[in-house]
């Protein structure tokens, strides 16, 4: 119950912040930025912002690799929340984290989609892609421009904080996924993965044994 209350509090707090307390939103600039990103006009986009936008997608994929298995055993399936998170980021994800019940089992067959999510190759691809994004943003990014936009633009500000929440909340589902694979009792391993934001969970996807059917 405390976990659910905490998650709903985080969700409501973030929503209130984005709607009422964050820097103002500049609709035209935001739409222009999204159009440039989605139409591959990347030369005119700050690499920090471009990398951050892509890392949000990595986070959604990371959670999907865990929660589509979890959702198979829940009263509420995960896929509506996965679709919602594509459009709204962590705002669409947190309600599932709050509504789900603790579950350490998986039964039934893995279809092609679940086999893809369960594959270590998928984890390796996401890890390499993430490392490339981090390198691209760190080396080529204009960090002064990013900081200015973070402080003055609601979209950049909210996206940055959403990325932090994605990283912060992953341990809430990590333990159950490890238990489904027979590893939750190893608390040191749990904390090793949980305390390294993003890269720890990605390394876990590369290492975790496939679920037995």
């Amino acid at each position: 119950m405390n976990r659910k209350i905490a998650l709903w509090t985080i969700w409501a707090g973030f929503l209130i912040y984005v709607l009422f307390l964050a820097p103002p939103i500049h609709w035209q600039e935001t739409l222009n930025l999204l159009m440039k990103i989605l139409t591959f006009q990347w030369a005119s986009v700050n690499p920090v912002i471009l990398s951050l936008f892509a890392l949000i997608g990595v986070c959604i994929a990371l959670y999907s690799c865990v929660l589509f298995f979890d959702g198979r055993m829940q009263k509420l399936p995960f896929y509506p929340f996965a679709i919602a998170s594509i459009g709204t980021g962590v705002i669409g994800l947190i309600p599932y984290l709050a509504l789900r019940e603790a579950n350490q089992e998986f039964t039934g067959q893995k279809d092609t989609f679940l086999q893809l999510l369960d594959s270590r190759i998928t984890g390796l691809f996401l890890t390499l892609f993430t490392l490339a994004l981090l390198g691209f943003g760190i080396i080529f990014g204009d960090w002064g421009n990013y900081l200015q936009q973070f402080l003055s633009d609601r979209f950049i500000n909210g996206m940055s904080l959403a990325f932090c929440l994605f990283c912060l909340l992953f341990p809430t589902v990590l333990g159950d996924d490890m238990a489904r694979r027979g590893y939750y009792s190893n608390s040191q391993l749990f904390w090793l993965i949980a305390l390294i934001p993003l890269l720890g969970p990605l390394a876990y996807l590369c290492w975790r044994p496939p679920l037995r059917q």
Side-chain angles (χ1 to χ4, degrees):
M1 183 60 68
N2 290 336
R3 177 185 62 85
K4 293 179 180 291
I5 293 173
L7 287 167
W8 282 122
T9 301
I10 291 171
W11 181 80
F14 182 66
L15 195 58
I16 291 170
Y17 171 80
V18 169
L19 292 177
F20 302 109
L21 301 175
I25 189 167
H26 307 290
W27 287 107
Q28 190 60 50
E29 289 84 348
T30 298
L31 291 175
N32 288 340
L33 173 64
L34 289 173
M35 185 62 66
K36 289 178 181 179
I37 293 176
L38 296 176
T39 57
F40 305 102
Q41 301 176 49
W42 297 342
S44 58
V45 180
N46 185 343
V48 178
I49 294 173
L50 183 61
S51 297
L52 180 61
F53 185 87
L55 285 171
I56 294 292
V58 170
C59 289
I60 295 172
L62 172 63
Y63 276 86
S64 295
C65 287
V66 172
L67 293 181
F68 272 103
F69 297 97
D70 180 79
R72 172 75 71 83
M73 311 305 295
Q74 301 284 342
K75 293 180 180 179
L76 288 174
F78 175 61
Y79 72 86
F81 300 91
I83 295 172
S85 67
I86 293 174
T88 64
V90 75
I91 292 175
L93 174 71
I94 292 178
Y96 178 80
L97 302 182
L99 292 169
R100 65 178 292 272
E101 300 295 336
N103 167 59
Q104 300 180 354
E105 297 180 357
F106 177 83
T107 59
Q109 297 296 312
K110 292 187 292 185
D111 57 22
T112 302
F113 179 63
L114 290 182
Q115 288 177 359
L116 177 64
L117 294 180
D118 205 29
S119 172
R120 288 171 171 166
I121 295 176
T122 300
L124 180 61
F125 171 79
L126 289 174
T127 301
L128 294 177
F129 183 55
T130 298
L131 292 175
L133 289 173
L134 292 174
F136 177 64
I138 292 171
I139 296 172
F140 299 105
D142 185 341
W143 287 91
N145 173 264
Y146 164 74
L147 180 60
Q148 180 183 5
Q149 293 194 62
F150 175 82
L151 296 174
S152 62
D153 184 89
R154 181 176 302 180
F155 178 72
I156 303 302
N157 184 278
M159 182 170 62
S160 301
L161 296 179
F163 172 71
C164 294
L165 283 178
F166 271 121
C167 295
L168 177 67
L169 295 176
F170 188 78
T172 64
V173 297
L174 173 62
D176 281 354
D177 191 74
M178 292 181 67
R180 281 190 286 270
R181 301 163 197 273
Y183 284 95
Y184 184 64
S185 59
N186 190 339
S187 60
Q188 291 182 341
L189 179 60
F190 173 87
W191 288 111
L192 179 63
I193 296 167
L195 293 178
I196 304 176
L198 187 58
L199 295 180
L202 287 171
Y204 170 68
L205 292 189
C206 296
W207 164 82
R208 66 177 184 174
L211 279 171
R212 296 179 181 178
Q213 300 187 62

